[in-house]
């Protein structure tokens, strides 16, 4: 979810700077371990999962909790470190991970363009890798250069999330008025996808005027500053269309300081802090909850399985996770009771493990294999549209799985494996379905 230009300068000097940033292990972002060291077999077998991310980003803190609890359930260990948004640290720190005993990494990078180099760094150390939210066009985790260690990228259906939420926002506001669009990272793929969804929704509301568009890098404090700077020019704004929960909370603070009591806001991600605020802030109309705690637990199971020799279908290298539509305070409270850090952990990574369960493994959050070639990158609707480069070819095993109709086969199978824990949440929401499939129903994928 974080995108900046790629940096490829990894000189010895810069690597040493990264090592100092890591801080001789002890200050590796508050490096921690959990779980028991187990012998190979049905326990962790020395499996160690690392969360590598920007700390204090609400959604990523949820993913980190999921990975930590999942590794604990599997008898493995958990470590974490933050690169604080510093791309140099982001690229140099992973070169030390094998020396720390890391066997698998879950990360969200600040640069889509750095994904290949980052994954190659881990692959050379025989460390398995899962990514959240970065999906550069016409590149593949199944590329032979990663030697099977790049297990894949996972992302929400970003454009469908914001299409659904923007429709909800505009309906609640009567379908007319002035709007400020608040994006993530300008030019970033996930931010562009979420902006695509909002712009599609706006086509249905000719009486809504977009008076300003600004970007806040997914950051709560920056969002507050950006909206505060715009409000003197637009004091009577009716909507702040925020592309994630943290920025919505920052915008809300700016609106309160300016004594604007009219503007409605939306979010995306389903962060516990936002869910809690929905109980008292009526103008937070809702959020699309991807539940990254569940994504982190799923990643723990895949890291554990990879360490125990499980081979995955190459089509699994592109996965989308569904998002719940949280459109009432009661639904927000119900989801908060499941996902709050103060609540018992609701997911069981052991049941998601193919090594432990064989063919009886299950999903506890809805995932789908993504058809990136004709949906995410193509013209149907091409939320991050990019033409297929001349001469581009998928790896042989990925292409063979595509030709065999493997995407539909896997998605049908995974639908049957789903053990959905959210029935109580949906019962209290107005919208009972998730966001996946929204564009298909609307005909936007044709």
């Amino acid at each position: 979810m974080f995108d900046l230009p790629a940096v490829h300068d990894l000189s010895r000097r810069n690597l040493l700077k990264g090592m100092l940033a890591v801080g001789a292990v002890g200050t590796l972002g508050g490096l921690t371990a959990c779980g028991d060291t187990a012998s190979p077999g049905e326990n962790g077998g020395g499996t160690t999962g690392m969360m590598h991310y920007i700390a204090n980003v609400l959604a990523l803190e949820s993913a980190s909790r999921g990975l930590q609890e999942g590794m604990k359930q599997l008898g493995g260990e958990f470590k974490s470190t933050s690169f604080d948004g510093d791309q140099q640290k982001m690229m140099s720190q992973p070169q030390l991970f094998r020396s720390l005993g890391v066997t698998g990494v879950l990360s969200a990078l600040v640069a889509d363009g750095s994904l290949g180099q980052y994954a190659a760094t881990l692959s050379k150390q025989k460390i398995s890798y899962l990514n959240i939210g970065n999906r550069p066009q016409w590149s593949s985790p199944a590329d032979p250069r990663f030697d099977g260690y790049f297990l894949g990228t996972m992302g929400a259906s970003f454009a469908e999330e914001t299409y659904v939420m923007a429709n909800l926002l505009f309906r609640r506001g009567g379908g007319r008025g002035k709007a400020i669009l608040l994006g993530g990272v300008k030019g970033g793929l996930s931010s562009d996808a979420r902006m695509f969804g909002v712009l599609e929704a706006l086509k249905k509301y000719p009486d809504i005027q977009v008076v300003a568009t600004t970007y806040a890098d997914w950051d709560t404090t920056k969002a507050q500053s950006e909206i505060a700077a715009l409000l003197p020019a637009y004091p009577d704004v009716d909507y702040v269309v925020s592309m994630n929960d943290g920025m919505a909370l920052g915008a809300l603070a700016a609106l309160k300081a300016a004594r604007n009591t009219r503007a409605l806001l939306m979010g995306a991600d389903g962060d516990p802090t936002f869910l809690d605020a929905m109980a008292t802030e009526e103008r937070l109309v809702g959020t699309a909850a991807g539940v990254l705690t569940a994504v982190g637990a799923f990643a723990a199971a895949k890291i554990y399985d990879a360490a125990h020799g499980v081979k995955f279908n190459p089509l699994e290298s592109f996965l989308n996770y569904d998002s719940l539509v949280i459109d009432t305070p009661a639904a927000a409270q119900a989801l908060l009771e499941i996902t709050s850090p103060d609540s018992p952990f609701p997911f069981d990574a052991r049941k998601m493990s193919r090594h432990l369960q064989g063919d009886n493994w299950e999903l506890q959050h809805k995932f789908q294999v993504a058809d990136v070639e004709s949906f995410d990158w193509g013209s149907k609707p091409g939320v991050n549209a990019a033409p297929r480069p001349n001469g581009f070819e998928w790896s042989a095993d990925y292409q063979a799985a595509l030709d065999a109709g493997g995407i539909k086969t896997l998605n049908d199978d995974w639908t049957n494996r789903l053990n959905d824990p959210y029935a109580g949440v949906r019962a209290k929401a107005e919208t009972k379905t998730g966001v996946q499939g929204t564009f298909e129903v609307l005909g936007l994928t044709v």
Side-chain angles (χ1 to χ4, degrees):
M1 292 182 288
F2 305 92
D3 316 88
L4 294 171
V7 168
H8 302 292
D9 177 16
L10 285 179
S11 64
R12 177 177 175 83
R13 178 183 178 188
N14 284 325
L15 177 56
L16 289 172
K17 286 169 63 180
M19 293 173 70
L20 290 172
V22 169
V25 180
T27 60
L28 190 62
L31 181 65
T32 58
C34 75
D36 300 320
T37 302
S39 59
E42 293 191 354
N43 291 318
T47 310
T48 298
M50 167 72 82
M51 184 74 195
H52 191 213
Y53 67 129
I54 302 175
N56 300 320
V57 173
L58 299 180
L60 298 182
E61 292 289 355
S62 293
S64 183
R65 179 188 178 220
L67 182 65
Q68 178 175 3
E69 294 292 340
M71 294 308 305
K72 181 178 180 181
Q73 290 171 344
L74 291 163
E77 292 189 357
F78 168 82
K79 301 179 187 292
S80 70
T81 187
S82 171
F83 50 84
D84 303 318
D86 182 328
Q87 193 174 345
Q88 199 66 56
K89 289 169 64 176
M90 179 191 80
M91 297 302 293
S92 60
Q93 286 175 343
Q95 299 191 39
L96 305 175
F97 285 174
R98 172 51 70 181
S99 68
L100 300 175
V102 173
T103 53
V105 171
L106 176 63
S107 77
L109 305 184
V110 297
D112 290 305
S114 294
L115 183 60
Q117 184 182 1
Y118 184 98
T121 296
L122 296 177
S123 299
K124 289 175 183 177
Q125 300 173 73
K126 301 187 183 303
I127 295 173
S128 62
Y129 174 47
L130 284 159
N131 172 270
I132 301 175
N134 300 106
R135 191 175 285 169
Q137 297 102 318
W138 303 107
S139 63
S140 173
D143 190 304
R145 68 184 170 129
F146 301 126
D147 199 23
Y149 286 99
F150 192 176
L151 303 183
T153 70
M154 303 179 291
S157 297
F158 292 123
E160 290 175 309
E161 281 185 329
T162 50
Y163 177 87
V164 170
M165 296 313 303
N167 268 295
L168 170 66
L169 179 71
F170 299 146
R171 286 199 309 270
R172 295 273 178 91
R176 62 180 65 247
K178 298 177 181 179
I180 294 174
L181 307 188
L182 180 56
V185 175
K186 189 173 183 178
L189 296 177
S190 54
S191 184
D192 284 354
R194 283 186 168 170
M195 188 67 76
F196 179 98
V198 170
L199 296 178
E200 284 294 315
L202 278 166
K203 292 177 182 178
K204 299 171 57 178
Y205 298 93
D207 293 328
I208 292 179
Q209 177 189 7
V210 176
V211 296
T213 300
T214 188
Y215 295 84
D217 299 338
W218 310 114
D219 182 87
T220 301
T221 302
K222 188 171 182 180
Q224 181 174 350
S225 299
E226 291 291 321
I227 298 302
L230 289 169
L231 286 176
Y234 309 108
D236 56 347
V237 66
D238 299 286
Y239 310 93
V240 175
V241 188
S242 174
M243 316 266 168
N244 84 342
D245 290 341
M247 293 192 302
L249 295 176
L252 177 62
L255 290 165
K256 287 182 174 181
R259 300 191 179 185
N260 175 307
T261 60
R262 62 191 290 163
L264 303 179
L265 304 97
M266 59 173 254
D269 288 335
D271 295 320
T273 304
F274 187 94
L275 297 174
D276 189 47
M278 279 184 65
T280 56
E281 299 289 349
E282 292 184 359
R283 52 185 172 157
L284 296 178
V285 301
T287 183
V291 192
L292 282 179
T293 310
V295 174
F298 178 78
K302 292 204 74 169
I303 288 170
Y304 172 85
D305 285 351
H308 287 77
V310 173
K311 301 300 181 185
F312 303 103
N313 188 306
L315 295 178
E316 292 182 46
S317 54
F318 295 115
L319 297 179
N320 286 337
Y321 49 87
D322 199 11
S323 298
L324 306 171
V325 180
I326 306 302
D327 52 9
T328 68
Q333 184 60 35
L335 184 58
L336 185 62
E337 290 172 0
I338 295 175
T339 60
S340 168
D342 297 326
S343 301
F345 191 67
F347 306 105
D348 190 338
R350 294 165 298 190
K351 293 182 179 179
M352 302 181 209
S353 167
R354 302 175 211 194
H355 174 69
L356 295 180
Q357 306 299 336
D359 194 48
N360 293 321
W361 70 277
E362 68 180 37
L363 290 166
Q364 293 161 24
H365 187 90
K366 184 179 180 181
F367 285 82
Q368 286 189 335
V369 176
D371 186 1
V372 291
E373 185 170 12
S374 64
F375 185 82
D376 290 79
W377 303 336
S379 58
K380 304 188 300 181
V383 297
N384 293 128
R388 184 184 181 116
N390 291 332
F392 175 84
E393 293 184 359
W394 296 110
S395 63
D397 57 350
Y398 188 89
Q399 186 64 56
L402 277 178
D403 293 342
I407 288 180
K408 183 179 186 307
T409 299
L410 274 175
N411 284 334
D412 288 346
D413 176 56
W414 285 19
T415 296
N416 293 329
R417 293 186 183 279
L418 181 60
N419 182 7
D420 187 341
Y422 307 116
V425 178
R426 290 194 175 93
K428 295 180 179 180
E430 294 178 2
T431 304
K432 307 301 182 184
T433 60
V435 305
Q436 280 184 344
T438 297
F439 285 170
E440 183 176 2
V441 171
L442 296 171
L444 290 174
T445 60
V446 178

